[in-house]
Amino acid sequence: MQIRSYGKFNLTLKVSRKSRLKKMHRIQSIIFPYKLEYDMVEVLSYQGQQTIFTCNRKELDWKNNTVLDAYHKFVMMFPKFKAVPLHINLIKKTTIGSGLGYSASNAVALIKIICNFFKINYHSKKIKKLIKSLSSDALFFYLEKPAIISGYGNKITYLTPNQIKKYEIANLKVIDSKISSITKDVYQEFDYNYQYYKTKKNINIYYNMLQQPAFKINPKLKKFYLALKKEHQNVMLSGSGGAFLVW
């Protein structure tokens, strides 16, 4: 049993300093699905004594990743299924650290396919609560529709047809630089120099407050950006990763 795990891109991304109480960042972002590239999540019956995880990419931590985290949270919510060993296989086709949300998407895809495997209603309130607990991006991947994400990533408002027409860009392309950009490092730089980054003016309808901190810690990413600017009128980093939006 396999399922495709699609990405997303941010057309806007406003970020506030990390809350000392919740240890999370408030965000506001307009997000659209990205379905031209995808990973595959596979779940099979397993004859061993306990569930195993495999992946085709050696650089991924096989003992600590979002897919395994999603599985552990699932069996905490449905403990009777812990006794059913599974083989969870992630077929990674996309760049790790692309900023297109595949880490969260992989986790949500695992919950979706495992619900199908055990014949659980994926659209139940219980599963939606589980999805919310995975990560700030996870809720978007629950239905994969253009939306405004706010709060700590836990609030989602789906765009109306008129809003979609307002924000979508007809000639938009996603270009993956293949340069890995780690989200936690970008957020760390953002928090460290928050007073500077919060004063940067967003003069365009489309903006990303994490673009400058990502460039600060990753000069190769900025160099790639400057090269794209020579070919395209508009260039913007998507999220905190290494993929760009051009139009």
Side-chain angles (χ1 to χ4, degrees), residues 24 66-74 103-112 122 127-139 141-142:
M24 299 172 69
T66 57
V67 175
L68 272 178
D69 181 58
Y71 170 75
H72 292 315
K73 287 182 177 180
F74 173 84
S103 179
S105 175
N106 294 164
V108 175
L110 184 277
I111 297 300
K112 188 171 185 178
Y122 176 68
I127 292 298
K128 189 174 183 179
K129 182 179 179 181
L130 172 59
I131 296 292
K132 285 183 178 181
S133 74
L134 298 180
S135 70
S136 59
D137 282 349
L139 192 58
F141 291 107
Y142 184 60

Side-chain angles (χ1 to χ4, degrees), residues 8 59 78 87 113 122 127 129 140 146 149 155 191 202:
K8 57 85 182 171
E59 62 267 40
F78 299 94
H87 178 186
I113 195 172
Y122 176 68
I127 292 298
K129 182 179 179 181
F140 169 78
I149 305 294
K155 297 179 181 179
D191 289 332
N202 301 312

Side-chain angles (χ1 to χ4, degrees), residues 28-75:
Q28 185 170 337
S29 181
I30 297 173
I31 301 180
F32 275 64
Y34 177 59
K35 296 193 173 184
L36 293 183
E37 296 180 277
Y38 55 87
D39 297 326
M40 297 293 295
V41 178
E42 184 177 40
V43 170
L44 305 165
S45 297
Y46 183 58
Q47 300 303 315
Q49 295 184 344
Q50 60 184 12
T51 292
I52 64 168
F53 171 83
T54 56
C55 180
N56 62 318
R57 301 284 286 276
K58 292 182 179 180
E59 62 267 40
L60 190 75
D61 187 347
W62 288 21
K63 296 182 180 179
N64 181 26
N65 57 72
T66 57
V67 175
L68 272 178
D69 181 58
Y71 170 75
H72 292 315
K73 287 182 177 180
F74 173 84
V75 293

